Amino acid sequence: MLFNSLGFLIFLPTVFLLYWFVFKKSLLTQNIFILAVSYLFYAWWDWRFLLLLILSTLLDYAFGLLLASTRHKKLYFWLSVVNNLSILGFFKYYNFFADSASELLRQMGFQTNPYFLSIALPVGISFYTFHGMSYVFDIYNGKIKPIKNFIHYAVFVCFFPLLVAGPIERASHLLPQVEKKRIFSYGQAVEGMRLMLWGFFKKVVIADTLAADVNLIFNNYKEYNGSTLLLGAIYFSIQIYCDFSGYTDIALGAAKLFGFELLTNFRFPYFSRNIAEFWRRWHISLSSWFKDYLYIPLGGSKEGKWKAVRNTFIIFLVSGFWHGANWTFIFWGLIHALLFLPLLLSNKNRNYTGHIVAADKKIPGAQELLQMLLTFSLVTIAWIFFRSPNIYDAFDYIGGIGDSFFTVPAYYNQLVYVFIFLWLDWMQRRNERCVLEFKNKYVRRFVYFVFAMLIIFHFNFINRAEFIYFQF
């Protein structure tokens, strides 16, 4: 079920009313109901993949219990890792490895006829697999104790707002909320509605509007001049940010309606002053996951500079591969590793860890503005590889930007959406949770009304655009 669908607009208020008026009597009834509607939400795509989700949940739940009740902790830990990666690898990466191996053998003079799976990628598999793995990792490292109540654990993995595209939750953060009876909070619900309104605006009004032009430009890039190609790359940078952060805002807002607080996933990444700060603000739950469960176990930056360089390249390449079974994603990760490297070698990768750009000013200074523009430009170039079907097309696209550059670009009318969004994002940059808050109630209501009208006007009830990160 898509957030931007008529079905969800019926599903959410129905679940909300039943949750608070019928199933609020006890913690058990609350969690059983949430789990049931989460399974319904997921089965809306394909009920067969619901069985895979339940199997994955059962296995990680069992491994968690085994880790705490046996001497063979390391054995069960690695069995859990192999199990999760096998499920993920089979459904997401089998065709990629089969095709790559076949191409390598062909280059060596061998003819092969590889067998490819003709099966859709289970939606959200990367996210719920990483949920389960983090739970097992934390038990193995002694950070948490295994939970005995399967219903509670299943809600942690399958809670419908975060099920298909995150944020990637931690058991230490979400499980205590699952194990505690929720009481309705009007203030929390209002905050949730604001976040959802802002998320729908970013997705429906900004991302989906830009998506039409992005698709035309990238799919026919050889037909356009350089200025149009540059504009297409900028549009995609805004599109993917509004698409994914819009989903996150809707997820966080929906969770608040049911008494849950999810992890922050975005903190205005396009106002970053270098690549390191960008990655502390973009897809935070995934970046922190790789840092805690891959970078630090490999030694992090405490075992010498060159091991830190090695570990940095590993997490960026793995992060790229996590996004999809295509060399373009791996190359995208490599680009970010190379951009991160000078900061690491010069010990500047920890700059701006807690300081918001122009925190006490309305506009940034000249230096900060140049830093943000440079970072955004580098990120946008990398996004071209992320968006292109293959690496060769990405290089051709970049090469085409220099052709007939000083000409009027096509589709420039959509720039108004870009400027409006960036201005609104800038005004709210001090707190990603406090959006669309205005002291004057009349101004507040007017803004709500305008946003609602824009969403309704741009809402496509027939050809709904999926969220980009659903494919991961």
Side-chain angles (χ1 to χ4, degrees), residues 306-323:
W306 293 111
K307 281 194 175 181
V309 170
R310 179 203 67 182
N311 296 340
T312 297
F313 273 86
I314 289 174
I315 63 167
F316 273 112
L317 291 173
V318 173
S319 176
F321 198 42
W322 176 90
H323 281 83

Side-chain angles (χ1 to χ4, degrees), residues 31-232:
N31 285 339
I32 289 177
F33 177 68
I34 282 292
L35 182 59
V37 297
S38 296
Y39 283 158
L40 173 63
F41 177 84
Y42 191 78
W44 206 270
W45 278 283
D46 191 325
W47 65 269
R48 294 170 298 178
F49 291 144
L50 175 60
L51 300 178
L52 178 66
L53 172 63
I54 294 173
L55 175 62
S56 176
T57 306
L58 281 167
L59 288 172
D60 284 324
Y61 168 76
F63 279 121
L65 294 176
L66 288 170
L67 284 171
S69 60
T70 180
R71 298 177 181 177
H72 306 291
K73 289 181 60 176
K74 184 171 289 188
L75 171 63
Y76 288 112
F77 169 77
W78 284 109
L79 284 174
S80 172
V81 171
V82 170
N83 164 68
N84 279 293
L85 294 182
S86 296
I87 293 174
L88 187 61
F90 178 76
F91 284 97
K92 188 170 182 177
Y93 300 109
Y94 171 82
N95 287 348
F96 170 79
F97 285 120
D99 182 62
S100 298
S102 176
E103 178 61 22
L104 178 62
L105 290 172
R106 189 184 68 80
Q107 294 291 338
M108 297 170 62
F110 299 97
Q111 294 298 321
T112 61
N113 294 304
Y115 176 76
F116 295 106
L117 296 175
S118 57
I119 186 171
L121 178 68
V123 66
I125 189 171
S126 296
F127 289 92
Y128 68 71
T129 298
F130 271 37
H131 277 135
M133 290 179 71
S134 68
Y135 171 74
V136 173
F137 288 167
D138 285 349
I139 294 174
Y140 180 74
N141 293 322
K143 295 181 178 180
I144 62 172
K145 293 182 179 181
I147 187 169
K148 295 183 179 180
N149 188 311
F150 175 74
I151 299 296
H152 292 180
Y153 175 72
V155 170
F156 156 69
V157 175
C158 306
F159 185 38
F160 74 88
L162 58 79
L163 178 55
V164 294
I168 302 172
E169 274 290 342
R170 304 297 181 88
S172 58
H173 178 257
L174 187 55
L175 270 176
Q177 299 181 63
V178 175
E179 295 177 299
K180 181 180 179 182
K181 189 175 185 295
R182 276 79 64 190
I183 299 173
F184 180 75
S185 166
Y186 175 79
Q188 188 181 35
V190 170
E191 291 173 0
M193 292 297 292
R194 284 200 195 108
L195 273 171
M196 292 186 69
L197 184 64
W198 178 232
F200 276 115
F201 175 80
K202 286 197 284 187
K203 167 59 179 173
V204 176
V205 180
I206 306 297
D208 289 353
T209 298
L210 293 177
D213 290 344
V214 168
N215 292 338
L216 281 173
I217 294 171
F218 271 85
N219 294 341
N220 307 280
Y221 69 90
K222 293 184 179 180
E223 301 175 10
Y224 294 104
N225 57 41
S227 58
T228 301
L229 296 184
L230 176 61
L231 197 59

Side-chain angles (χ1 to χ4, degrees), residues 190-450:
V190 170
E191 291 173 0
M193 292 297 292
R194 284 200 195 108
L195 273 171
M196 292 186 69
L197 184 64
W198 178 232
F200 276 115
F201 175 80
K202 286 197 284 187
K203 167 59 179 173
V204 176
V205 180
I206 306 297
D208 289 353
T209 298
L210 293 177
D213 290 344
V214 168
N215 292 338
L216 281 173
I217 294 171
F218 271 85
N219 294 341
N220 307 280
Y221 69 90
K222 293 184 179 180
E223 301 175 10
Y224 294 104
N225 57 41
S227 58
T228 301
L229 296 184
L230 176 61
L231 197 59
I234 293 172
Y235 281 176
F236 180 67
S237 292
I238 303 300
Q239 178 204 350
I240 193 170
Y241 172 45
C242 289
D243 192 283
F244 193 18
S245 67
Y247 173 91
T248 298
D249 289 337
I250 298 170
L252 266 62
K256 282 176 175 288
L257 296 179
F258 299 95
F260 291 93
E261 295 289 339
L262 302 183
L263 291 171
T264 293
N265 215 16
F266 290 90
R267 287 197 178 99
F268 314 101
Y270 287 158
F271 303 139
S272 301
R273 287 149 289 187
N274 60 37
I275 291 296
E277 186 183 13
F278 172 81
W279 278 104
R280 285 192 293 272
R281 294 177 175 275
W282 176 274
H283 204 345
I284 299 168
S285 63
L286 180 66
S287 301
S288 61
W289 197 100
F290 279 121
K291 182 190 74 174
D292 292 344
Y293 301 122
L294 185 59
Y295 184 75
I296 292 177
L298 287 172
S301 57
K302 295 183 179 180
E303 297 183 6
K305 187 67 70 176
W306 293 111
K307 281 194 175 181
V309 170
R310 179 203 67 182
N311 296 340
T312 297
F313 273 86
I314 289 174
I315 63 167
F316 273 112
L317 291 173
V318 173
S319 176
F321 198 42
W322 176 90
H323 281 83
N326 194 317
W327 287 105
T328 54
F329 298 117
I330 298 174
F331 200 83
W332 171 76
L334 175 63
I335 291 172
H336 277 279
L338 292 171
L339 294 174
F340 190 91
L341 185 59
L343 298 172
L344 179 65
L345 294 176
S346 60
N347 296 317
K348 294 181 179 180
N349 56 301
R350 299 300 300 171
N351 289 359
Y352 315 121
T353 53
H355 180 255
I356 300 170
V357 62
D360 302 319
K361 299 182 292 184
K362 291 184 178 180
I363 59 174
Q367 181 180 348
E368 288 181 323
L369 179 61
L370 289 173
Q371 288 174 319
M372 288 190 294
L373 288 174
L374 176 59
T375 303
F376 178 77
S377 299
L378 294 173
V379 169
T380 296
I381 292 171
W383 281 133
I384 293 173
F385 290 89
F386 193 97
R387 176 59 178 78
S388 299
N390 57 66
I391 293 175
Y392 305 107
D393 281 341
F395 276 114
D396 280 347
Y397 189 104
I398 294 172
I401 292 176
D403 295 335
S404 304
F405 182 79
F406 295 101
T407 54
V408 177
Y411 313 113
Y412 63 86
N413 291 337
Q414 307 299 356
L415 276 172
V416 66
Y417 288 98
V418 174
F419 289 131
I420 289 173
F421 165 71
L422 289 176
W423 176 74
L424 289 170
D425 217 34
W426 176 261
M427 297 299 291
Q428 299 175 131
R429 71 191 183 283
R430 293 177 179 85
N431 191 333
E432 73 282 355
R433 301 279 178 133
C434 298
V435 297
L436 305 181
E437 289 190 349
F438 301 92
K439 292 182 180 179
N440 188 297
K441 66 178 181 179
Y442 298 107
V443 172
R444 187 167 61 246
R445 290 171 182 174
F446 176 73
V447 171
Y448 294 165
F449 175 77
V450 170

